[in-house]
Amino acid sequence: TGDHPSSNYINVAASTTSGTLSSGQASVSAPQPISSSLQNRAFGTAGFGAPLPIGAVFTHTFAASAVISPTNVNGCLPWPAGTFTGRAAVIQRGVCTFSAKVYYAQQAGASFVVIYNSAAGGEGILNMAAGDFASQVTISSIFVQRSMGLGMVDWYTANGATSELTVNTIAYQLGSIADRIISFSSRGPGIGNVL
């Protein structure tokens, strides 16, 4: 707030805040307690299947392909009926297309799919392109870093059917520098009714 005793000039001030608005975090959410390394992890989305709801938080119990069938860790072969009924399937990247993995999991009852990066891809995150069976996929899926995927596999090994994933698509600020007064700006009231 500043004094404005004259009609012959104006007061000007400007500030800026840096940072990026982002959306999309995945966390293992049950059972408690949970390692911070499995919390609030970024993910990529899919160019096929149902789009993720925007501005929402939703949960799924999950099961890991590496535990259920080590010979089908990449999820490129059909699963027995009911393998993932009502759960999210956690599947490793590699060998076949992303949409084929999601399709086979969907056919086995999965309500959601998490694909984690291969050893070669490591900690990279990408958006998944459509491929085989893409037009037949009706569920949503995400792509996470390898460390997140392996952490989920370990979590399922230890906790079985109580393992739960929460996906949050509410926007949040990624990085921030506090408000800075821009160089051309007045900095506020000074002594003697001046800026």
Side-chain angles (χ1 to χ4, degrees):
T1 301
D3 191 0
H4 197 161
S6 170
S7 60
N8 295 326
Y9 59 82
I10 60 173
N11 300 339
V12 178
S15 66
T16 184
T17 299
S18 72
T20 300
L21 286 179
S22 186
S23 176
Q25 293 182 313
S27 301
V28 171
S29 49
Q32 298 286 335
I34 301 162
S35 167
S36 60
S37 66
L38 296 176
Q39 298 290 294
N40 303 321
R41 301 290 293 268
F43 60 79
T45 57
F48 54 87
L52 294 173
I54 298 172
V57 178
F58 50 94
T59 62
H60 296 275
T61 55
F62 68 85
S65 64
V67 178
I68 291 174
S69 178
T71 59
N72 195 18
V73 65
N74 294 313
C76 294
L77 300 172
W79 299 93
T83 299
F84 297 110
T85 298
R87 299 184 288 180
V90 179
I91 300 170
Q92 180 177 260
R93 177 188 183 187
V95 181
C96 61
T97 63
F98 295 119
S99 51
K101 296 172 188 290
V102 178
Y103 173 76
Y104 288 135
Q106 173 185 287
Q107 293 301 98
S111 56
F112 190 78
V113 174
V114 177
I115 298 176
Y116 62 93
N117 214 339
S118 60
E123 295 304 284
I125 295 177
L126 49 85
N127 290 326
M128 300 180 289
D132 301 323
F133 309 111
S135 63
Q136 299 175 63
V137 174
T138 59
I139 62 174
S140 301
S141 56
I142 61 174
F143 185 91
V144 299
Q145 295 170 306
R146 183 164 180 79
S147 59
M148 177 65 170
L150 293 178
M152 292 179 73
V153 171
D154 291 344
W155 195 260
Y156 180 72
T157 300
N159 298 287
T162 61
S163 302
E164 183 183 82
L165 170 74
T166 295
V167 178
N168 184 335
T169 60
I170 298 172
Y172 63 95
Q173 187 161 337
L174 183 64
S176 176
I177 298 175
D179 286 348
R180 295 175 292 154
I181 301 298
I182 202 70
S183 61
F184 62 76
S185 176
S186 302
R187 290 186 173 268
I191 298 173
N193 296 326
V194 297
L195 290 176

